[in-house]
Amino acid sequence: MITPAAPGATAPHSIKRRQITGFSNPTVKFIRSLRDKKHRKREGKFLAEGLRLLTDALESGRVPETLIMAERREAHPLLAALESAVAAAGGEVIETSADILAKIIGKSNPQAVAGVFDQFDTSLAAFDREAAPIWLVAQALRDPGNLGTMLRTGDALGAGGLILLDDCADPFSVEAVRASMGAVFTQRLVQAQWDEFQPWLRGERGQLVAASLRDAVPYRGAPYTAPCFVMVGNESQGLPEAYEAACDLRVTMPMRGRADSLNAAVAAAVLGYEVLATFDSRK
Amino acid sequence: MITPAAPGATAPHSIKRRQITGFSNPTVKFIRSLRDKKHRKREGKFLAEGLRLLTDALESGRVPETLIMAERREAHPLLAALESAVAAAGGEVIETSADILAKIIGKSNPQAVAGVFDQFDTSLAAFDREAAPIWLVAQALRDPGNLGTMLRTGDALGAGGLILLDDCADPFSVEAVRASMGAVFTQRLVQAQWDEFQPWLRGERGQLVAASLRDAVPYRGAPYTAPCFVMVGNESQGLPEAYEAACDLRVTMPMRGRADSLNAAVAAAVLGYEVLATFDSRK
């Protein structure tokens, strides 16, 4: 049963909510446009959907600049907390019809809520490799679900973040953000070309590791050292040979069946957990 | 450049190819209907797309009963091998326009080829647990990509197959088959309700293992024994408490970040590789 929210039921009285009633409202159009990569890039914003994801963002210190929700919805303490945080940060809280919200988020759900965030600085210069013992690296990763899953795995591993090399899926797409299960707000995101990454990597200490079939040692018990950069390649092509050759350590994982590779996000996870176990065993 | 296949260029002269020119042809409608779960179930058939996947099938001893391809295409030795195998098995080879093929496979690709297969027997009674040391088990897994990825991981692990408990995504969907990268043809597939699986499991030896936060030991170095059934739960709910309680072994994996779980296919892989390493170390 859906109970219309009484005024003030889900947020302090002081919070102003802007009502939007028209499909052609520019704010509605703007938020909706963030489903599209070109618009996200131009605006430097992205969209995260769902109370759980937005709560993860808040708990990670990320407050949306705009919060949009349906005018008839059940009250929820987490939503009230979100509203308060957005208002306190000078953001805007928007109420609209379930129909208009459905147009924005692409599905009908009267409990839906979405937030607009600024994209993060994803430059190589902006992060400190010594902040974590493990970093995940993906080259030309095309599937946003794999990308989000790698972020989620990185969070679980205690990795510092995910470095996206060359032409990867957009980490700020709705699909990648969703698959990250909130890790897009906790993991560092870096975007770089290989030609920038290589000199950056070699400027300080850091071990580049990849699964490979050539000139490799067993992944189990390999001499991993921190900060360790665990790299996986494109879903259908794998890593370019030159990238494998540039690694400090090439490892093999058992392949007992017909296939000669794992899903990219799976390979990163199996390898990442091995690195973590190695580091833990030395403590 | 696309060169129209000369007669006999891609297959021996003896192979008869049926030409289909109409969108409303019943065979076209039938093949297209296999994109839909209801029809797949009723017909007991499924569709696999792409030369690589069909070649994997062939090399695993699975021949489609119907092969359908575009009438203007490049000759390819693997396609010729497929045609020969289908013809030798008494199946049908169909040629049609790129437009009609695009209607069937849902995207435009003049090199496309698709095959219709009989679904496999997925009953508990039909498989031998002693055939492999590891089996993957998924409960209420909803995402066909995760399901296919688990099949692919199982192949790499040398697992025997994937046991799908309760209401899972359809393993014969085009998405699951594609994500399996051919492993749907090499891994055993089993579908069962928990109430059938439990007594079956306990009828012979077998260790049921799951990742759990309750009453668990570290996954690293846990006392795994073959045949080991590695179980993961639904993407958003995880495993029901009763299922966890029924496990012989509950293990924890490090969760160093905010999240308290991994993607289901990732968890199965990390755990599965640990089990494999444990068994290998005892050899």
Side-chain angles (χ1 to χ4, degrees):
Chain A
M1 201 187 80
I2 294 160
T3 315
T10 59
H13 283 282
S14 59
I15 292 178
K16 276 204 182 122
R17 301 185 187 120
R18 178 153 71 108
Q19 310 292 322
I20 292 183
T21 54
F23 276 97
S24 57
N25 176 284
T27 304
V28 167
K29 283 187 172 171
F30 171 77
I31 299 176
R32 189 178 152 75
S33 79
L34 297 178
R35 303 190 78 80
D36 182 77
K37 182 176 180 176
K38 191 180 66 188
H39 288 102
R40 276 196 303 275
K41 195 169 177 181
R42 196 181 55 204
E43 302 292 341
K45 313 277 183 196
F46 72 101
L47 194 59
E49 298 171 352
L51 188 53
R52 180 169 172 172
L53 202 51
L54 291 172
T55 300
D56 283 340
L58 186 60
E59 292 179 357
S60 307
R62 306 279 189 176
V63 180
E65 59 172 45
T66 305
L67 187 71
I68 186 162
M69 55 197 169
E71 58 202 357
R72 289 162 180 276
R73 60 183 185 276
E74 286 181 74
H76 197 295
L78 291 176
L79 189 54
L82 263 172
E83 281 198 75
S84 297
V86 172
E92 188 171 40
V93 177
I94 293 172
E95 266 186 347
T96 191
S97 70
D99 281 355
I100 291 177
L101 197 60
K103 192 186 165 194
I104 291 175
I105 65 165
K107 62 182 170 188
S108 182
N109 173 2
Q111 292 310 308
V113 54
V116 176
F117 293 82
D118 277 324
Q119 291 189 11
F120 319 133
D121 181 352
T122 63
S123 66
L124 274 171
F127 85 103
D128 169 19
R129 70 178 77 189
E130 297 293 338
I134 302 174
W135 298 84
L136 299 184
V137 184
Q139 186 263 338
L141 197 75
R142 294 292 158 81
D143 184 87
N146 278 341
L147 198 162
T149 299
M150 284 188 72
L151 284 167
R152 182 181 181 182
T153 300
D155 174 90
L157 283 171
L162 175 61
I163 299 167
L164 300 168
L165 298 180
D166 304 338
D167 187 22
C168 286
D170 184 2
F172 298 112
S173 70
V174 171
E175 297 76 18
V177 169
R178 186 190 303 127
S180 85
M181 296 289 280
V184 72
F185 297 110
T186 60
Q187 290 286 290
R188 268 274 179 192
L189 265 174
V190 179
Q191 293 177 299
Q193 297 299 308
W194 174 250
D195 291 345
E196 308 162 67
F197 176 70
Q198 267 264 67
W200 174 89
L201 178 69
R202 300 310 176 194
E204 293 173 49
R205 69 180 190 139
Q207 183 190 47
L208 188 60
V209 179
S212 170
L213 302 171
R214 282 183 288 263
D215 186 22
V217 299
Y219 86 113
R220 199 90 179 174
Y224 304 107
T225 58
C228 185
F229 294 81
V230 175
M231 181 164 67
V232 296
N234 170 266
E235 286 90 345
S236 45
Q237 310 297 322
L239 282 172
E241 211 171 317
Y243 292 43
E244 282 191 13
C247 285
D248 301 294
L249 184 61
R250 283 171 295 279
V251 297
T252 51
M253 286 182 267
M255 293 287 148
R256 298 286 162 85
R258 277 183 40 78
D260 61 3
S261 70
L262 293 165
N263 163 282
V266 163
V270 173
L271 200 42
Y273 266 92
E274 182 63 25
V275 174
L276 179 63
T278 304
F279 292 168
D280 281 354
S281 72
R282 292 188 196 142
K283 279 178 186 168
Chain B
M1 201 188 81
I2 294 159
T3 315
T10 58
H13 283 284
S14 59
I15 291 177
K16 277 204 183 123
R17 302 184 186 120
R18 177 152 73 109
Q19 310 292 323
I20 293 184
T21 55
F23 276 98
S24 57
N25 176 284
T27 304
V28 168
K29 283 187 172 171
F30 171 76
I31 298 176
R32 189 178 153 75
S33 79
L34 297 178
R35 303 190 78 81
D36 182 77
K37 182 175 179 176
K38 192 179 67 188
H39 288 103
R40 277 195 302 274
K41 195 169 176 179
R42 196 181 56 204
E43 302 293 341
K45 312 278 185 196
F46 72 101
L47 194 59
E49 298 171 353
L51 187 54
R52 180 169 174 172
L53 201 51
L54 291 172
T55 300
D56 283 339
L58 186 59
E59 292 179 358
S60 308
R62 306 280 190 176
V63 180
E65 59 172 44
T66 305
L67 187 70
I68 186 163
M69 54 197 169
E71 57 203 357
R72 289 163 179 274
R73 59 181 186 277
E74 287 181 73
H76 197 295
L78 292 176
L79 190 54
L82 263 172
E83 281 198 76
S84 296
V86 172
E92 188 172 40
V93 177
I94 294 172
E95 266 186 346
T96 191
S97 71
D99 281 355
I100 291 177
L101 197 61
K103 192 187 166 193
I104 290 174
I105 65 165
K107 60 182 169 189
S108 182
N109 174 1
Q111 292 310 309
V113 54
V116 176
F117 293 82
D118 277 323
Q119 291 190 9
F120 318 133
D121 181 352
T122 62
S123 66
L124 276 171
F127 86 104
D128 169 19
R129 71 178 76 189
E130 297 294 338
I134 302 175
W135 297 84
L136 299 183
V137 184
Q139 186 262 338
L141 197 74
R142 293 294 156 79
D143 183 87
N146 278 341
L147 198 161
T149 299
M150 285 188 70
L151 284 167
R152 181 180 182 183
T153 300
D155 174 88
L157 282 171
L162 175 62
I163 300 167
L164 300 168
L165 297 180
D166 304 340
D167 187 21
C168 286
D170 183 3
F172 297 112
S173 71
V174 171
E175 297 77 17
V177 169
R178 186 190 304 129
S180 86
M181 296 288 281
V184 71
F185 297 109
T186 61
Q187 291 285 291
R188 269 275 179 191
L189 265 174
V190 180
Q191 293 178 299
Q193 297 300 307
W194 175 249
D195 290 346
E196 309 162 66
F197 175 69
Q198 266 264 67
W200 174 88
L201 178 70
R202 300 312 176 192
E204 293 173 50
R205 70 180 190 140
Q207 182 190 47
L208 187 61
V209 179
S212 170
L213 301 172
R214 281 183 289 263
D215 186 22
V217 300
Y219 86 113
R220 198 90 179 174
Y224 304 107
T225 59
C228 184
F229 294 82
V230 175
M231 181 164 67
V232 296
N234 170 266
E235 286 91 344
S236 45
Q237 311 297 322
L239 282 172
E241 212 172 316
Y243 291 44
E244 281 190 14
C247 285
D248 300 295
L249 183 61
R250 283 172 293 278
V251 296
T252 51
M253 286 181 268
M255 293 287 148
R256 298 286 162 84
R258 278 183 39 78
D260 60 3
S261 69
L262 293 164
N263 163 282
V266 163
V270 173
L271 201 42
Y273 266 91
E274 182 62 26
V275 174
L276 179 62
T278 305
F279 292 169
D280 281 353
S281 71
R282 292 189 195 141
K283 279 177 186 168

